[in-house]
Amino acid sequence: NPKELQHRLKKKRWKKSKIDENVKAEILDSTTIEALELHSPRHVFEIDTSRLSAEQTSSTIEMVLNNFPAKYHAWKIDWTEKYNKYLIGEKK
């Protein structure tokens, strides 16, 4: 979740400009797009780790790599509608 990413980066004392850059990239799926430019869509997965612990994230990744469940295929997570105001400068 972009809000969670923002919170985590603030906690690490990142510069505001770098936080904004990363949050916008998350909203716009930049990493997913880059992955799809390099790999087949059947080999690109997205996992929302916003509310997962490191252990839960690790277990989820292991499960995805072993089973390739469709619910984790690319484009299942879309933050654009929820956070479009962030992109145009009206932060909530």
Side-chain angles (χ1 to χ4, degrees), residues 1-5 22-32 46-51 75-87:
N1 185 308
K3 281 289 193 188
E4 180 60 26
L5 175 62
N22 278 266
V23 169
K24 287 175 183 175
E26 181 65 27
I27 294 168
L28 295 172
D29 287 326
S30 296
T31 305
T32 301
E46 294 179 310
I47 301 168
D48 181 359
T49 63
S50 302
R51 292 191 164 90
W75 305 120
K76 300 288 182 177
I77 300 172
D78 183 4
W79 302 112
T80 53
E81 188 172 326
K82 184 172 183 178
Y83 292 105
N84 65 357
K85 289 184 180 183
Y86 189 96
L87 295 172

Side-chain angles (χ1 to χ4, degrees), residues 1 5-6 10 13 15 19-20 34 36-37 49-50 54 56 62-64 76 90:
N1 185 308
L5 175 62
Q6 182 182 45
K10 279 183 180 179
R13 297 183 174 189
K15 290 182 180 180
I19 292 171
D20 287 346
E34 288 178 26
L36 288 167
E37 288 173 351
T49 63
S50 302
Q56 290 169 319
E62 185 176 2
M63 183 269 303
V64 168
K76 300 288 182 177
E90 297 176 25

Side-chain angles (χ1 to χ4, degrees), residues 41-55:
R42 69 175 195 246
H43 294 122
V44 178
F45 301 93
E46 294 179 310
I47 301 168
D48 181 359
T49 63
S50 302
R51 292 191 164 90
L52 300 180
S53 67
E55 294 79 18

